[in-house]
Amino acid sequence: MNAALKKHLELLHGDTTSFITVGQKDGDIIGYHYHFKGVENTYNAVLSLLENKKDTYISNASFYAPKRGIATLYRINSLFADLDCHKDGEVLNVDALMYYLDHEFFGIKVPHPTEVVFTGRGVQIFWVIEHAPRQALPLWTLVQNKILEELEEITEFVPNVEVDWACKDITRISRVPGSWHSGVNRQADSIRVNENRYRLDDIISGYFPSLDFDRDKYTKAKKKAVREPKNRVKTNAMTEEERILKKLMLLQARAEDFETLIKLRGGDCEGYRDHLLFYYIWTVIDKRSTLNDVERELDALNCLFKTPMSQTEIKRKARHVYNKFNAQSLKKAAPKQKYEWYDRYVFKNETVIKKLNITLDEQRQLQTIISKEIKNERDNNRKKKARRNENGLTKREQGKADNIAKAQELKRLGYNNTQIAKMLGVSRVYISKLLNQGV
């Protein structure tokens, strides 16, 4: 039995019944991927794989299908960071690293971790979070980036240690306790375990107040723009974090729309599959994404089709999208602002609807990929709903209902129609109509 491995799985995945990805290196690449349901099945499988004395990893998130990608993401389980010593010939002083993390970072710049795993050449740090479904991905990305930015300062205290920015990927797999690190011929082990569990909102309010803004306003209907004088100074300009969140929420909504469209068509997307894959991948990758990231995301979405692509076709398609994305005019070699990492050309709804032949009925099931006709339909429905109270009545209808109730009560008390009309300030004929309608 490997108690450290069992505890690691229980901390990250709890009582999940969804899929956990297990990876093992074949030479210099992670050549084998396996998918197991639940902690117990994953534990038994990993325990068996560890006998090979190879680099072994598990996913930090869980998935609803046996594919690792945003398209199959089920639950976000943790925030994480990877601090590595990549300089040849240098041996990491783990005690010194943990000393500075304890005295300069944990509980000061970032929360106290749930677990710290020594990987053989660095440490992996995990903060288990609760109640975070895939819809929380944009907010998770903001908090994850903040943690990595804060931890970048560790280089000032331990010069040979750097943050691995590949940790910005929610589908990342991390080395497990008991795994062999073939690069340094050492074994990974859990060196600190706590029961700390967090909510994203708690971390934001406690450590990253710049992220503590009204996020609901990005999901509400847009208000009609008011033209302001050119020389007027804007007092409500978006912060950089707000701009990133708005972009991420839009991209996630569009990605979910593509997934929804495939499901609405029962996976039968003959003639539209290539365009769907292209638009989807363009939406979910960013400027740090590698060709392997593109292939993995394609593979995850591909499993939703009734007639999926072959692995050869996936590799060819991934190369095509990756090259196109790298060649786009918005992609700069070194973005100067954080939000530029997430900037990309967003294809017009009209273009996507035409290419994918999305019907009006299908558009009514989507969030953002809609025509002007559906947009106007939603605006009108929203306005109609806004005009009605909790009883489903407009102001006029509610007033009439109130008058009927008052007239009936006065009639019950013995007043005649003329007296009731004077008391309510209306005509006797109107009272007669009210009482007839109220019968």
Side-chain angles (χ1 to χ4, degrees):
M1 179 177 176
N2 187 323
L5 172 62
K6 189 68 176 284
K7 185 66 175 179
H8 179 71
L9 281 164
E10 289 173 347
L11 285 172
L12 284 188
H13 294 281
D15 58 354
T16 186
T17 56
S18 50
F19 286 96
I20 302 170
T21 299
V22 177
Q24 193 167 64
K25 267 193 176 181
D26 179 22
D28 293 331
I29 62 171
I30 301 175
Y32 300 103
H33 286 86
Y34 312 92
H35 308 275
F36 303 96
K37 267 195 169 185
V39 167
E40 193 62 32
N41 290 333
T42 306
Y43 170 73
N44 292 330
V46 173
L47 202 60
S48 176
L49 288 171
L50 289 178
E51 295 177 2
N52 299 330
K53 289 190 174 182
K54 290 184 178 181
D55 305 71
T56 308
Y57 310 79
I58 66 164
S59 59
N60 301 324
S62 53
F63 308 92
Y64 67 79
K67 293 287 184 181
R68 180 169 64 100
I70 293 174
T72 55
L73 180 63
Y74 175 69
R75 193 168 70 184
I76 301 170
N77 299 319
S78 65
L79 295 151
F80 42 85
D82 196 349
L83 306 182
D84 280 336
C85 173
H86 286 293
K87 294 185 178 179
D88 295 334
E90 291 199 30
V91 178
L92 175 67
N93 187 331
V94 181
D95 292 336
L97 175 59
M98 291 304 299
Y99 174 86
Y100 287 113
L101 286 172
D102 283 331
H103 288 81
E104 301 292 339
F105 295 91
F106 294 157
I108 303 169
K109 296 181 177 180
V110 298
H112 288 284
T114 307
E115 183 181 23
V116 180
V117 175
F118 170 65
T119 63
R121 192 161 56 184
V123 296
Q124 293 170 166
I125 309 169
F126 299 91
W127 295 266
V128 172
I129 54 178
E130 298 179 326
H131 311 298
R134 62 174 296 174
Q135 288 76 17
L137 183 56
L139 186 59
W140 177 90
T141 302
L142 277 184
V143 179
Q144 178 75 359
N145 285 347
K146 273 290 186 182
I147 285 180
L148 297 180
E149 287 170 13
E150 293 293 344
L151 289 175
E152 274 193 315
E153 297 178 15
I154 190 64
T155 306
E156 299 176 10
F157 303 95
V158 188
N160 60 340
V161 172
E162 296 178 348
V163 169
D164 184 354
W165 270 92
C167 284
K168 55 85 186 171
D169 180 10
I170 185 59
T171 66
R172 182 176 174 84
I173 55 177
S174 299
R175 194 179 301 274
V176 297
S179 167
W180 203 254
H181 195 307
S182 57
V184 292
N185 202 31
R186 299 180 74 176
Q187 195 171 27
D189 193 19
S190 179
I191 57 176
R192 180 175 300 178
V193 176
N194 297 307
E195 295 299 327
N196 301 329
R197 294 177 182 273
Y198 300 93
R199 294 176 65 94
L200 287 174
D201 284 337
D202 294 336
I203 293 177
I204 288 171
S205 60
Y207 294 90
F208 309 125
S210 65
L211 303 182
D212 196 8
F213 45 77
D214 181 13
R215 297 185 292 275
D216 288 339
K217 65 184 178 183
Y218 301 119
T219 60
K220 296 177 182 176
K222 293 180 181 178
K223 296 182 179 179
K224 190 173 182 180
V226 178
R227 183 173 293 179
E228 297 181 350
K230 291 183 179 179
N231 58 351
R232 183 172 177 179
V233 178
K234 292 184 179 180
T235 57
N236 61 342
M238 284 193 294
T239 64
E240 191 171 45
E241 283 83 5
E242 287 179 291
R243 189 170 178 178
I244 293 172
L245 180 64
K246 186 177 180 181
K247 172 68 73 174
L248 291 173
M249 290 179 72
L250 170 63
L251 294 174
Q252 174 160 333
R254 289 178 73 85
E256 290 176 354
D257 278 353
F258 291 125
E259 296 168 30
T260 300
L261 184 60
I262 297 171
K263 293 172 184 176
L264 287 172
R265 296 179 177 181
D268 187 4
C269 299
E270 187 176 352
Y272 304 104
R273 186 185 62 185
D274 280 10
H275 281 114
L276 258 168
L277 287 167
F278 178 84
Y279 289 135
Y280 177 82
I281 296 304
W282 191 277
T283 302
V284 300
I285 63 175
D286 62 39
K287 296 172 186 178
R288 292 190 181 99
S289 298
T290 65
L291 179 57
N292 286 336
D293 294 333
V294 178
E295 287 184 10
R296 186 183 67 247
E297 293 300 338
L298 268 176
D299 194 34
L301 187 71
N302 190 47
C303 73
L304 302 181
F305 293 112
K306 184 178 288 185
T307 307
M309 280 184 168
S310 67
Q311 290 300 310
T312 301
E313 290 175 312
I314 287 176
K315 288 182 179 296
R316 188 184 304 120
K317 188 70 175 178
R319 172 64 68 180
H320 169 69
V321 180
Y322 182 72
N323 289 341
K324 290 272 286 187
F325 191 86
N326 275 277
Q328 63 155 313
S329 59
L330 283 175
K331 187 174 175 66
K332 302 174 184 177
K336 295 179 181 179
Q337 304 293 333
K338 285 187 291 184
Y339 67 81
E340 291 178 348
W341 285 109
Y342 305 97
D343 268 347
R344 81 284 309 275
Y345 179 78
V346 177
F347 292 92
K348 293 179 180 179
N349 281 356
E350 292 82 357
T351 302
V352 176
I353 290 169
K354 183 178 180 181
K355 287 284 188 182
L356 301 180
N357 194 23
I358 305 175
T359 66
L360 291 177
D361 284 340
E362 287 174 333
Q363 291 174 46
R364 291 187 178 98
Q365 307 298 316
L366 306 181
Q367 302 175 64
T368 63
I369 305 176
I370 57 174
S371 62
K372 290 182 180 179
E373 181 178 348
I374 298 299
K375 180 182 182 299
N376 291 335
E377 181 182 291
R378 289 182 181 178
D379 286 343
N380 290 334
N381 291 337
R382 195 179 296 116
K383 289 174 183 177
K384 287 179 182 178
K385 186 176 180 181
R387 288 198 299 265
R388 298 183 180 276
N389 59 21
E390 63 275 9
N391 298 320
L393 302 175
T394 64
K395 185 177 180 180
R396 181 180 178 181
E397 291 169 341
Q398 185 63 58
K400 185 177 181 179
D402 292 342
N403 281 336
I404 290 175
K406 291 175 184 177
Q408 288 177 331
E409 178 62 18
L410 291 171
K411 193 71 173 178
R412 187 183 67 79
L413 295 174
Y415 294 98
N416 61 36
N417 289 4
T418 302
Q419 291 170 323
I420 295 172
K422 288 182 178 180
M423 295 172 74
L424 296 182
V426 296
S427 70
R428 185 179 61 80
V429 175
Y430 180 64
I431 291 299
S432 297
K433 289 181 179 179
L434 286 181
L435 291 174
N436 288 334
Q437 291 176 14
V439 175

